Amino acid sequence: QLLAVAELKNGDTFADLGCGGGKQLFVAATLVPGLRALVGYELLTGYLNAARDLLFHFMSRERKHIQLNLIHEDFTNANYQEAWLFADLVFAASTCFDQSQMSRIATIAQFMKPGSRFISLDKPLPPPASSLFSILYICRCTGSWGPTLAYIQQRTHRRRYDEESLFQ
């Protein structure tokens, strides 16, 4: 339901920061059959293997041709950020993320492309990203983590050095 409200559509890339067993990736692939790519980050090997099994089984059974990239790494690691920086929609079940983790996410998210969306649970993106994202919707939702608020945010502003006129 959150992915529909966030307007995930054919041709989009969807990334899940801390994908666990792949539930949101599976929902995205089911909801939008024409996705360009799915990207999932997970540090715990057991969860990553469960996500891989779920998604490979689903995509082979349904004959889906969605690029799948499951990354066994910290999504704030500079060597692995690119896959979610270029996503059209990023999801973070951030109920268990502390302020330090949210700050690291926000520092990276400020470089997402204009128009991209970011869903966070329990709390919106903090500064510096908060000045570059507008909150489109705040929804109540319930998941395995219990009831919480979901913040659907959109990257709207350009940073000064993104302006084409800077290099003219």
Side-chain angles (χ1 to χ4, degrees), residues 26-106:
F26 174 77
V27 169
T30 303
L31 181 66
V32 183
L35 285 175
R36 180 177 356 132
L38 294 168
V39 179
Y41 290 83
E42 182 55 57
L43 286 174
L44 302 175
T45 304
Y47 281 134
L48 190 70
N49 289 339
R52 184 174 289 117
D53 291 347
L54 171 70
L55 292 161
F56 284 150
H57 177 73
F58 169 73
M59 288 199 279
S60 64
R61 187 185 76 224
E62 298 295 319
R63 295 188 171 91
K64 300 277 183 193
H65 300 287
I66 301 170
Q67 179 185 345
L68 176 62
N69 191 5
L70 294 174
I71 301 168
H72 189 224
E73 190 58 61
D74 179 352
F75 51 78
T76 63
N77 180 320
N79 295 323
Y80 297 94
Q81 296 169 5
E82 187 174 306
W84 70 270
L85 274 176
F86 294 105
D88 299 286
L89 179 59
V90 176
F91 175 81
S94 50
T95 55
C96 61
F97 294 171
D98 63 17
Q99 188 57 42
S100 172
Q101 181 76 342
M102 288 302 291
S103 292
R104 287 194 304 275
I105 291 169

Side-chain angles (χ1 to χ4, degrees), residues 95-145:
T95 55
C96 61
F97 294 171
D98 63 17
Q99 188 57 42
S100 172
Q101 181 76 342
M102 288 302 291
S103 292
R104 287 194 304 275
I105 291 169
T107 298
I108 299 162
Q110 68 181 326
F111 297 105
M112 291 174 67
K113 62 186 175 188
S116 57
R117 283 115 31 233
F118 194 104
I119 300 173
S120 57
L121 301 182
D122 195 40
K123 49 197 151 288
L125 289 167
S130 59
S131 64
L132 300 169
F133 281 78
S134 12
I135 296 175
L136 300 176
Y137 305 101
I138 301 173
C139 314
R140 290 198 183 282
C141 62
T142 303
S144 58
W145 53 83

